Amino acid sequence: MTATLLPSGSERGPRRWPLVGNLPAFARDPLAFFESLRDEYGDWVPWSLGPQRNVLVSRPEHAGELLGAVESTFSPTELGWAFRQLLGNGVVVATGEDWRRKRALVQPSVRPRQVRSYAATMVECADALVSGWTENTRIDVHREMAGLTQRIAVRTLFGSDAAGREAPISAAMATAQRELGAEFRGVTLFLPPWVRTPGRRRMRAAVAVLDREIEHVIQEHEAASAAREERDDLLARLLAARDEDGGPLSRTELRDEAITLYIGGHETTSTTLTWAWQLLSGAPEARERLTEELERVLGGRLPAYEDYARLPWTQQVVKEALRIYPPIWLISAVAQEGATLGGRPVPAGLSVWTSPWSMHRDERWFPEPEAFRPERWDADAPHQIPEHAWFPFGGGPRACLGARFALVEAALVLAVVAQRFHVDSGPARARVLPGLTLQPRDPVLATLRAHRA
């Protein structure tokens, strides 16, 4: 796409209230708020969260330029006390040389070769789940997918002997997710760290549980290493990682990266799968095409990592679900001296935002954006999707390290389940609750219909 100059001058934006700015509208419904900014005011819209001055950009080339410039002329935005409590100073939060060091240490554990080694666990856990299902029963889809991806995350990240820790980790993560979303949408985002609200107390308690459980697993891995037991999980790889000076990750760094990888491998994939099943339930033609591909490629056997490349329609179902419900629904960065976007200087200190939710639902890039159409991603589709118009995992140097893991996991789980059952939740879609990821606000209930060849 040809670079488009951003407008300059006194662009209009929504009315800002004293002290709180646009916080009331943002807190009420941040997803609708971003869409309204785009539709009513254009591709460069000034707005504010309390005293913080922001701009929303809504063109793919400007989003791509912003994402590519983070760690050079833009720096990541500080997203509040709760976000920092949960992720510490992991690779998602760290900046500068600290970020470069951590990324170099973490990245090898999620490269394609390593994801290949985890594929068998993904398939095994999915097969175990559907083997316990029976025809015509009702399930809570989100609960089932969350339980499945949690088992996969615990086994691939911590090893099979950590399976007993699933329940406390899950409960603590659910609390942390809820409180993080509440803080981000409310006035507590601007309160100093020493202020103790009920939500912050709940957040501290949840993080304490996560810290305790992860410390137990680290100790178990260290004992196994001392006994010369070989392990092939993500935590073992992190423990063995060394930087260019031969230094390992510290205890705190191990905790932070474990939390980050757990969220990437569990939270994002469980919601993506939940939305995918609901979207397929309302699109019988897309579901039939999925059935045909699975029967033709797999012939009734369980999928393997090598099958991922042979299942393009399955991949397109996942991509389209990620388009309509991107797990990362907003991204922001703060301009530094010399920052520009679209040929326009950006004042240092201005926070520039872009929203995958809003971009993915812009009819300029995705005709009939609300419609679930995996055929958008066909190689010969008549409407070509612009570069940077789809970015559910962010982009640029700080793109999500676990994106490959999540894409492979979602496709393989879809393949395992869809061979055995139709997950029928009806045509209606659940409301969305924006938190750390986009969660269904309501239970997604479905009836299991046995698939018969």
Side-chain angles (χ1 to χ4, degrees), residues 102-184:
K102 288 174 179 174
R103 185 177 179 87
L105 287 166
V106 175
Q107 192 169 35
S109 65
V110 288
R111 285 178 175 154
R113 182 191 305 175
Q114 308 308 332
V115 174
R116 174 191 294 268
S117 70
Y118 307 136
T121 298
M122 299 171 183
V123 171
E124 181 184 335
C125 290
D127 185 49
L129 175 69
V130 296
S131 294
W133 286 356
T134 55
E135 185 177 8
N136 295 324
T137 57
R138 294 280 281 176
I139 64 168
D140 182 323
V141 180
H142 190 217
R143 182 182 299 170
E144 295 288 325
M145 292 300 102
L148 170 60
T149 59
Q150 183 186 64
R151 284 190 290 276
I152 294 170
V154 168
R155 288 185 56 181
T156 57
L157 178 56
F158 300 137
S160 59
D161 58 350
R165 305 199 182 281
E166 292 173 5
I169 290 174
S170 176
M173 190 62 73
T175 298
Q177 158 98 299
R178 183 171 59 253
E179 297 304 331
L180 189 150
E183 173 155 305
F184 191 71

Side-chain angles (χ1 to χ4, degrees), residues 14-28 33 47-54 184-191:
R15 178 183 178 184
R16 303 172 200 170
W17 297 95
L19 300 179
V20 297
N22 301 116
L23 179 61
F26 176 82
R28 199 162 42 244
F33 177 70
W47 64 288
S48 65
L49 274 177
Q52 177 182 302
R53 291 293 182 261
N54 310 313
F184 191 71
R185 297 189 302 271
V187 295
T188 52
L189 182 66
F190 305 105
L191 295 178

Side-chain angles (χ1 to χ4, degrees), residues 15 58 145 152 254 300-301 304-305 381:
R15 178 183 178 184
S58 296
M145 292 300 102
I152 294 170
L254 282 169
R301 64 174 172 81
Y305 179 82

Side-chain angles (χ1 to χ4, degrees), residues 34 37-38 43-47 54-58 353-355:
F34 286 138
L37 294 186
R38 178 201 69 204
D43 293 329
W44 171 275
V45 185
W47 64 288
N54 310 313
V55 165
L56 178 72
V57 296
S58 296
W353 297 56
T354 188
S355 170

Side-chain angles (χ1 to χ4, degrees), residues 423-436:
V423 181
D424 182 7
S425 63
R429 299 182 188 178
R431 296 178 298 165
V432 182
L433 178 65
L436 183 60

